[in-house]
Amino acid sequence: MNDLTNPKQYENPLLNNVITNNSNISDEHLSPGKRNLRNWLGKPFRIVITDGRVLVGFFNCTDKDSNIVLSMCAEYLEEGQDARILGNVMIPGKHIVSVSVDMPAQAVLLGLPQRHR
């Protein structure tokens, strides 16, 4: 079955309109880091940059220089203020202070040993 006749339903309804062939790619030969990146595709990211702004959007890609591309991105200048909608953005890696992935903690890092409490 192809993705067009039986699309995967995402928790975020905005993602249900996106067509991708990503599910057809086997990840058995990928390193744990690449598996994590693949798992994070389309997940909400919260990125703090050096000037204090917070960018929230869906993860699209990264590169060897740690640049990150987000789609449907919103910019927050201060906590509690309204967001400014930016759309698609590329954040240079040199300006990234922190990155948070919005998904269950046990699903964030695939293939890495779990710590025992």
Side-chain angles (χ1 to χ4, degrees):
M1 254 183 235
N2 70 35
D3 287 342
L4 296 176
T5 58
N6 189 19
K8 177 180 177 182
Q9 294 297 308
Y10 293 93
E11 288 180 30
N12 183 333
L14 295 173
L15 295 176
N16 289 328
N17 296 326
V18 177
I19 298 173
T20 178
N21 64 357
N22 189 33
S23 63
N24 298 329
I25 300 171
S26 170
D27 65 354
E28 62 191 36
H29 293 52
L30 295 178
S31 68
K34 288 181 181 178
R35 267 191 228 125
N36 284 327
L37 286 172
R38 186 164 176 253
N39 186 43
W40 296 337
L41 286 172
K43 300 294 189 270
F45 268 36
R46 179 183 185 275
I47 298 177
V48 178
I49 57 177
T50 53
D51 64 3
R53 288 181 287 167
V54 177
L55 303 170
V56 178
F58 295 96
F59 176 64
N60 279 338
C61 66
T62 187
D63 62 14
K64 65 180 180 172
D65 296 319
S66 300
N67 301 318
I68 294 178
V69 175
L70 299 179
S71 62
M72 294 188 272
C73 187
E75 171 191 56
Y76 296 88
L77 298 176
E78 292 180 16
E79 188 137 352
Q81 284 190 343
D82 289 337
R84 182 174 83 149
I85 305 303
L86 302 177
N88 293 328
V89 298
M90 190 281 293
I91 304 123
K94 66 182 181 180
H95 294 296
I96 295 174
V97 174
S98 69
V99 177
S100 303
V101 184
D102 185 17
M103 50 191 305
Q106 65 272 17
V108 171
L109 297 174
L110 296 175
L112 297 179
Q114 299 294 319
R115 287 186 276 171
H116 297 285
R117 297 176 193 214

mmCIF file of all heavy atoms in Angstrom, residues 73-94:
data_model
loop_
_atom_site.group_PDB
_atom_site.id
_atom_site.type_symbol
_atom_site.label_atom_id
_atom_site.label_comp_id
_atom_site.label_asym_id
_atom_site.label_seq_id
_atom_site.Cartn_x
_atom_site.Cartn_y
_atom_site.Cartn_z
ATOM 1 N N CYS A 73 6.752 28.224 11.703
ATOM 2 C CA CYS A 73 7.472 28.734 12.873
ATOM 3 C C CYS A 73 6.837 30.002 13.419
ATOM 4 O O CYS A 73 6.372 30.860 12.671
ATOM 5 C CB CYS A 73 8.918 29.004 12.476
ATOM 6 S SG CYS A 73 9.968 29.444 13.856
ATOM 7 N N ALA A 74 6.843 30.103 14.747
ATOM 8 C CA ALA A 74 6.387 31.302 15.449
ATOM 9 C C ALA A 74 7.545 31.806 16.304
ATOM 10 O O ALA A 74 8.319 31.023 16.848
ATOM 11 C CB ALA A 74 5.185 30.988 16.326
ATOM 12 N N GLU A 75 7.651 33.123 16.411
ATOM 13 C CA GLU A 75 8.724 33.756 17.175
ATOM 14 C C GLU A 75 8.134 34.417 18.409
ATOM 15 O O GLU A 75 7.139 35.143 18.321
ATOM 16 C CB GLU A 75 9.397 34.808 16.292
ATOM 17 C CG GLU A 75 10.387 35.681 17.017
ATOM 18 C CD GLU A 75 10.817 36.855 16.167
ATOM 19 O OE1 GLU A 75 9.936 37.634 15.716
ATOM 20 O OE2 GLU A 75 12.016 36.978 15.953
ATOM 21 N N TYR A 76 8.753 34.165 19.556
ATOM 22 C CA TYR A 76 8.352 34.780 20.814
ATOM 23 C C TYR A 76 9.508 35.644 21.309
ATOM 24 O O TYR A 76 10.615 35.141 21.524
ATOM 25 C CB TYR A 76 8.020 33.715 21.871
ATOM 26 C CG TYR A 76 6.833 32.863 21.494
ATOM 27 C CD1 TYR A 76 6.992 31.715 20.727
ATOM 28 C CD2 TYR A 76 5.552 33.225 21.889
ATOM 29 C CE1 TYR A 76 5.895 30.936 20.366
ATOM 30 C CE2 TYR A 76 4.451 32.454 21.542
ATOM 31 C CZ TYR A 76 4.642 31.313 20.779
ATOM 32 O OH TYR A 76 3.552 30.552 20.419
ATOM 33 N N LEU A 77 9.244 36.946 21.476
ATOM 34 C CA LEU A 77 10.290 37.852 21.955
ATOM 35 C C LEU A 77 10.433 37.781 23.463
ATOM 36 O O LEU A 77 11.531 37.832 23.996
ATOM 37 C CB LEU A 77 9.995 39.288 21.518
ATOM 38 C CG LEU A 77 9.970 39.500 20.006
ATOM 39 C CD1 LEU A 77 9.582 40.939 19.691
ATOM 40 C CD2 LEU A 77 11.307 39.154 19.394
ATOM 41 N N GLU A 78 9.305 37.688 24.168
ATOM 42 C CA GLU A 78 9.301 37.559 25.621
ATOM 43 C C GLU A 78 8.220 36.580 26.014
ATOM 44 O O GLU A 78 7.187 36.475 25.357
ATOM 45 C CB GLU A 78 9.024 38.905 26.284
ATOM 46 C CG GLU A 78 10.134 39.916 26.119
ATOM 47 C CD GLU A 78 9.812 41.237 26.801
ATOM 48 O OE1 GLU A 78 8.883 41.265 27.652
ATOM 49 O OE2 GLU A 78 10.464 42.223 26.478
ATOM 50 N N GLU A 79 8.449 35.879 27.095
ATOM 51 C CA GLU A 79 7.453 34.917 27.582
ATOM 52 C C GLU A 79 6.154 35.638 27.914
ATOM 53 O O GLU A 79 6.147 36.701 28.523
ATOM 54 C CB GLU A 79 7.981 34.205 28.832
ATOM 55 C CG GLU A 79 7.096 33.083 29.255
ATOM 56 C CD GLU A 79 7.872 31.857 29.655
ATOM 57 O OE1 GLU A 79 9.080 31.827 29.455
ATOM 58 O OE2 GLU A 79 7.237 30.947 30.165
ATOM 59 N N GLY A 80 5.046 35.060 27.465
ATOM 60 C CA GLY A 80 3.741 35.629 27.742
ATOM 61 C C GLY A 80 3.236 36.578 26.673
ATOM 62 O O GLY A 80 2.071 36.945 26.676
ATOM 63 N N GLN A 81 4.115 37.005 25.764
ATOM 64 C CA GLN A 81 3.677 37.883 24.677
ATOM 65 C C GLN A 81 3.130 37.067 23.521
ATOM 66 O O GLN A 81 3.399 35.875 23.402
ATOM 67 C CB GLN A 81 4.836 38.745 24.174
ATOM 68 C CG GLN A 81 5.195 39.887 25.073
ATOM 69 C CD GLN A 81 6.172 40.832 24.384
ATOM 70 O OE1 GLN A 81 6.802 40.481 23.400
ATOM 71 N NE2 GLN A 81 6.288 42.035 24.921
ATOM 72 N N ASP A 82 2.376 37.734 22.655
ATOM 73 C CA ASP A 82 1.855 37.072 21.467
ATOM 74 C C ASP A 82 2.989 36.720 20.515
ATOM 75 O O ASP A 82 4.018 37.415 20.452
ATOM 76 C CB ASP A 82 0.862 37.979 20.737
ATOM 77 C CG ASP A 82 -0.451 38.123 21.502
ATOM 78 O OD1 ASP A 82 -0.760 37.232 22.315
ATOM 79 O OD2 ASP A 82 -1.153 39.116 21.275
ATOM 80 N N ALA A 83 2.771 35.659 19.757
ATOM 81 C CA ALA A 83 3.771 35.194 18.810
ATOM 82 C C ALA A 83 3.670 35.964 17.503
ATOM 83 O O ALA A 83 2.602 36.435 17.116
ATOM 84 C CB ALA A 83 3.581 33.707 18.533
ATOM 85 N N ARG A 84 4.797 36.058 16.827
ATOM 86 C CA ARG A 84 4.820 36.582 15.456
ATOM 87 C C ARG A 84 5.036 35.384 14.548
ATOM 88 O O ARG A 84 5.991 34.622 14.725
ATOM 89 C CB ARG A 84 5.963 37.579 15.303
ATOM 90 C CG ARG A 84 6.026 38.201 13.921
ATOM 91 C CD ARG A 84 7.065 39.268 13.878
ATOM 92 N NE ARG A 84 8.370 38.653 13.657
ATOM 93 C CZ ARG A 84 9.369 39.237 13.015
ATOM 94 N NH1 ARG A 84 9.240 40.474 12.573
ATOM 95 N NH2 ARG A 84 10.518 38.624 12.856
ATOM 96 N N ILE A 85 4.146 35.156 13.588
ATOM 97 C CA ILE A 85 4.227 34.004 12.696
ATOM 98 C C ILE A 85 5.253 34.298 11.608
ATOM 99 O O ILE A 85 5.161 35.307 10.906
ATOM 100 C CB ILE A 85 2.854 33.682 12.074
ATOM 101 C CG1 ILE A 85 1.803 33.484 13.167
ATOM 102 C CG2 ILE A 85 2.954 32.467 11.159
ATOM 103 C CD1 ILE A 85 2.115 32.415 14.178
ATOM 104 N N LEU A 86 6.238 33.397 11.461
ATOM 105 C CA LEU A 86 7.316 33.589 10.498
ATOM 106 C C LEU A 86 7.196 32.678 9.284
ATOM 107 O O LEU A 86 7.704 32.993 8.226
ATOM 108 C CB LEU A 86 8.677 33.342 11.167
ATOM 109 C CG LEU A 86 8.997 34.211 12.380
ATOM 110 C CD1 LEU A 86 10.340 33.799 12.968
ATOM 111 C CD2 LEU A 86 8.994 35.683 12.014
ATOM 112 N N GLY A 87 6.582 31.510 9.441
ATOM 113 C CA GLY A 87 6.532 30.532 8.346
ATOM 114 C C GLY A 87 7.748 29.624 8.394
ATOM 115 O O GLY A 87 8.108 29.110 9.451
ATOM 116 N N ASN A 88 8.442 29.459 7.256
ATOM 117 C CA ASN A 88 9.648 28.625 7.202
ATOM 118 C C ASN A 88 10.863 29.463 7.580
ATOM 119 O O ASN A 88 11.026 30.582 7.078
ATOM 120 C CB ASN A 88 9.850 28.061 5.801
ATOM 121 C CG ASN A 88 8.769 27.087 5.428
ATOM 122 O OD1 ASN A 88 8.234 26.390 6.280
ATOM 123 N ND2 ASN A 88 8.430 27.045 4.158
ATOM 124 N N VAL A 89 11.705 28.920 8.470
ATOM 125 C CA VAL A 89 12.910 29.637 8.883
ATOM 126 C C VAL A 89 14.103 28.698 8.919
ATOM 127 O O VAL A 89 13.960 27.499 9.144
ATOM 128 C CB VAL A 89 12.757 30.300 10.274
ATOM 129 C CG1 VAL A 89 11.665 31.334 10.294
ATOM 130 C CG2 VAL A 89 12.537 29.277 11.348
ATOM 131 N N MET A 90 15.280 29.285 8.683
ATOM 132 C CA MET A 90 16.542 28.563 8.849
ATOM 133 C C MET A 90 17.282 29.273 9.979
ATOM 134 O O MET A 90 17.520 30.477 9.906
ATOM 135 C CB MET A 90 17.367 28.589 7.566
ATOM 136 C CG MET A 90 18.578 27.651 7.586
ATOM 137 S SD MET A 90 20.022 28.229 8.469
ATOM 138 C CE MET A 90 20.557 29.592 7.490
ATOM 139 N N ILE A 91 17.590 28.519 11.030
ATOM 140 C CA ILE A 91 18.297 29.085 12.170
ATOM 141 C C ILE A 91 19.754 28.651 12.077
ATOM 142 O O ILE A 91 20.048 27.452 12.105
ATOM 143 C CB ILE A 91 17.689 28.613 13.508
ATOM 144 C CG1 ILE A 91 16.209 28.964 13.550
ATOM 145 C CG2 ILE A 91 18.406 29.223 14.689
ATOM 146 C CD1 ILE A 91 15.332 27.793 13.782
ATOM 147 N N PRO A 92 20.679 29.617 11.959
ATOM 148 C CA PRO A 92 22.101 29.252 11.897
ATOM 149 C C PRO A 92 22.536 28.576 13.194
ATOM 150 O O PRO A 92 22.197 29.022 14.296
ATOM 151 C CB PRO A 92 22.816 30.598 11.725
ATOM 152 C CG PRO A 92 21.774 31.530 11.182
ATOM 153 C CD PRO A 92 20.474 31.056 11.782
ATOM 154 N N GLY A 93 23.270 27.489 13.067
ATOM 155 C CA GLY A 93 23.718 26.726 14.227
ATOM 156 C C GLY A 93 24.504 27.559 15.225
ATOM 157 O O GLY A 93 24.423 27.337 16.429
ATOM 158 N N LYS A 94 25.255 28.546 14.736
ATOM 159 C CA LYS A 94 26.077 29.370 15.635
ATOM 160 C C LYS A 94 25.226 30.249 16.555
ATOM 161 O O LYS A 94 25.730 30.770 17.540
ATOM 162 C CB LYS A 94 27.066 30.216 14.836
ATOM 163 C CG LYS A 94 26.423 31.266 13.971
ATOM 164 C CD LYS A 94 27.473 32.025 13.186
ATOM 165 C CE LYS A 94 26.831 33.103 12.319
ATOM 166 N NZ LYS A 94 27.852 33.832 11.573
#
